[in-house]
Structures are given as structure tokens and as C-alpha cells.
Amino acid sequence: MLLYYSLDCSATTTPVRHYLTYPISLKVNHIFDINTQNSTFKTMVSIEIKHPTLKPNPLDDIAFPDAYNKKLLSYTTDQLADGSYLSSGKYILTIGKHFDLSQYPFEKHKLSIVLENEKFGHNTRYLLSNNMSQHNKVIQKTALPSGWRLLSSKLNVSLYRFKNALLPNTTPDTWHSRLSYTLIIKRSDLRLFFLIFSTLYLAYFLNLYTLFLPLHQDFAILRNSLIVTSIFSYIGNYFVTSNLLINTLHFSLVDKIQTLVLLLMLATLIVTTIVTKKIEQNKLLFGTEKKVRQISCITSILLFIVGNYWALQGG
């Protein structure tokens, strides 16, 4: 895979027809530590540039504008048989990224790895060679963390214009050659889903079980214990997920399921309270109250299933 950037000595902003080209290859070795709380992800990339002379070395001028931190792991320059030089560098980058967690933990993210050459002016351009049309050569599926899969990727070159906001009338704009590699990844981690929602579903089913208990006083202590346990399970799940989704401003998948469970728990408590009052006032027979509890239980389960399906589908 080869990329090219061009250099021309003229002072025009129009594309040039004759330029010096440097083949450059990009490989994403690994993406790791996708940190949604700190809005960052880390990646290990390898870059190779072929250049005609030892100095200047174009690899020295490579910059990563979106990276908070850049760590150089290795750097070599070898002379080739044709007299040219091949410079190779391996980096670990910490890149800032705002993550949309509205469908967490089944969300999709668009990650971008951008590199540019800040030393050259507007007449320097990256160009893609014809054999770089297969973007899957830039990254392999094994480079992604466990639980993530690659949906698509795109390699793009552009001439980036940097406007001077402080002195727009006195300082001319600057231009940088820019290469960006964008990939869309999706998390599909059922284990994480059950870890997140296990206490929430426990709260729901403990609360639902109270509908199976007869409403006379012999089961009052057990019923109250189940209700208290379900409330604490719900509160525990709420605080855990609040820490996970600290940067989320939208009504997320977690919020939808938590709201659904809360409403169904409240409905169960309301039905139980009303039926108990009716029995105490001799306005409802025990056989009739059993049917009411059965209908309420079936309705709650159906609403629970439909509500979860709706939330998972992004409704």
C-alpha cells in the first residue's frame, strides 16, 4: 500500500502537475483501551516512507493532530539498492474521541487516525496510488479489541486549510497535507450486556414474584422483603451505570430499560396495594384476586419483553 505526497516550490494554491512523490505506507497494528469515560482510544500504527535523500527525512515531520499523546516505539532508516532510503516508525497514539453511548453496550463508533506534514506548505499533497483501494490491508480484524468488529473503513487524502482566527487579515492561512483513515466499529458483547443488566433484571423478577404470593398476612413479611431487595437492586444498577455513562447526554438504551423496569415495578406495587385493600374491605373474593394477579403478571412480562426489544432496536 502506497500513499504519496508532493512538493512544489511555486506559491500558488492551485494543484500542480509536476511534483516530487514519496511513497508512504500506513498500517494499524492494534486498537486498544477504548475508554468511553475519558473520551480517548489508543492505537499502535506503523508508517514507512521511501525518500530519495537521507536528509531531509519526511518521517521526522509527520504529525498526528488529533493525538493527545504520541510515543515513538521504534525508528529506523535503511538505504535501498536503488540508492533511496526507507524510514520506518512505530507509534502508540492516544487519540481524543467523543463517543455516542446511546446504544451502549451495542453502540457503533467512528474512529479516525489522522496524520499530516506540518513542515510543508500548500503545494505539498498526499496522493493515493492505485493499489491502495483495498482498505482492509490497513487493518486486520485481529487488531480490534475483544467484543468489537469492523463494519467499514475509508482512506482519504485532503489538503487541509488552517485559518488564523486571531489575525485573519494580516496572517495568511496555512495548508497541510493530510491523510485520514476512518473506520466504523461496533460492539457486540452479550457478556457485558448481562453483566450490566443482571441486577436490574433481578430487581424486576423479584418484584414480579410478589404477584405469585397470596395476599393474606402470612406472606406479608416475605412480600415486603422481596420489594425492599428489588428496590436496592435497582438503585445499585442505577449508580453503576451512571458511572459508566457519565458523558452521555442522550436518553440511552440503559435509560430506556431502567425506566421500563421502574414503571413495571411501580405497576406491580400499585396492583398489589389495590387488591389488598379490596380484600380487606371484602370487596374482592380470593378467587377473583388470584385471576387479577395472574393477568397482571402476564401483562407485565409481555410489556417487559416488548419494551426490551424496542429499546434494543434503537426505538
Side-chain angles (χ1 to χ4, degrees):
M1 295 182 301
L2 298 179
L3 310 177
Y4 295 89
Y5 66 79
S6 61
L7 175 63
D8 182 74
C9 296
S10 63
T12 177
T13 58
T14 58
V16 293
R17 296 182 179 181
H18 303 286
Y19 42 79
L20 183 63
T21 60
Y22 295 88
I24 173 175
S25 67
L26 169 68
K27 182 178 181 181
V28 180
N29 302 299
H30 191 37
I31 293 178
F32 58 101
D33 193 15
I34 300 178
N35 195 324
T36 56
Q37 291 180 293
N38 293 335
S39 300
T40 59
F41 71 94
K42 293 183 179 180
T43 180
M44 179 188 295
V45 298
S46 296
I47 299 173
E48 290 185 345
I49 299 181
K50 183 180 179 183
H51 45 103
T53 58
L54 183 60
K55 295 293 182 180
N57 190 332
L59 188 61
D60 295 336
D61 301 324
I62 291 292
F64 303 92
D66 295 335
Y68 291 156
N69 185 42
K70 177 183 72 173
K71 181 179 180 182
L72 179 63
L73 298 180
S74 62
Y75 183 100
T76 59
T77 299
D78 300 312
Q79 188 170 18
L80 304 178
D82 60 359
S84 62
Y85 295 86
L86 181 67
S87 294
S88 305
K90 182 178 289 187
Y91 304 86
I92 288 183
L93 309 173
T94 303
I95 299 175
K97 163 68 181 174
H98 174 71
F99 295 99
D100 180 10
L101 301 179
S102 58
Q103 284 300 109
Y104 179 88
F106 298 119
E107 75 273 26
K108 291 192 295 186
H109 298 301
K110 182 169 73 171
L111 307 182
S112 296
I113 301 171
V114 179
L115 62 91
E116 64 184 21
N117 196 315
E118 297 179 340
K119 297 288 182 167
F120 293 103
H122 60 269
N123 294 315
T124 303
R125 303 194 67 184
Y126 284 108
L127 296 177
L128 291 178
S129 63
N130 294 330
N131 62 347
M132 288 206 66
S133 58
Q134 296 181 352
H135 301 155
N136 57 354
K137 292 184 178 180
V138 180
I139 186 172
Q140 301 297 325
K141 293 182 179 179
T142 55
L144 295 175
S146 176
W148 295 87
R149 59 189 178 94
L150 179 65
L151 297 182
S152 63
S153 63
K154 182 180 180 180
L155 202 59
N156 184 49
V157 291
S158 62
L159 197 60
Y160 179 73
R161 183 178 184 179
F162 181 80
K163 294 187 176 182
N164 191 300
L166 297 178
L167 300 172
N169 298 324
T170 59
T171 306
D173 298 339
T174 58
W175 299 76
H176 301 314
S177 299
R178 173 169 287 191
L179 164 70
S180 61
Y181 179 63
T182 304
L183 58 156
I184 298 177
I185 61 175
K186 179 178 177 62
R187 194 205 304 259
S188 301
D189 196 341
L190 288 176
R191 179 177 177 272
L192 178 61
F193 176 81
F194 287 112
L195 285 176
I196 292 172
F197 292 104
S198 58
T199 53
L200 185 64
Y201 289 161
L202 175 64
Y204 168 74
F205 285 110
L206 286 175
N207 186 269
L208 183 68
Y209 185 68
T210 60
L211 289 176
F212 290 90
L213 298 176
L215 296 179
H216 51 76
Q217 293 297 323
D218 295 341
F219 293 89
I221 296 177
L222 177 58
R223 183 183 302 107
N224 293 335
S225 299
L226 290 174
I227 292 173
V228 171
T229 304
S230 65
I231 292 174
F232 277 107
S233 296
Y234 181 90
I235 293 174
N237 178 266
Y238 176 80
F239 281 107
V240 170
T241 54
S242 295
N243 290 329
L244 289 173
L245 306 177
I246 191 171
N247 294 325
T248 304
L249 301 177
H250 304 287
F251 199 64
S252 66
L253 168 66
V254 174
D255 296 324
K256 294 174 184 176
I257 296 181
Q258 284 179 340
T259 303
L260 171 68
V261 169
L262 179 61
L263 292 176
L264 293 177
M265 289 172 60
L266 290 175
T268 300
L269 292 176
I270 292 172
V271 169
T272 303
T273 303
I274 292 175
V275 173
T276 302
K277 291 288 185 182
K278 294 293 184 181
I279 292 176
E280 292 175 352
Q281 297 172 2
N282 295 322
K283 294 182 179 180
L284 193 66
L285 299 176
F286 279 101
T288 305
E289 64 86 13
K290 185 177 181 180
K291 291 182 179 179
V292 171
R293 288 190 288 112
Q294 289 175 345
I295 294 174
S296 300
C297 181
I298 294 173
T299 304
S300 178
I301 293 175
L302 289 176
L303 290 174
F304 178 78
I305 294 173
V306 172
N308 273 269
Y309 179 80
W310 172 79
L312 290 170
Q313 294 302 313

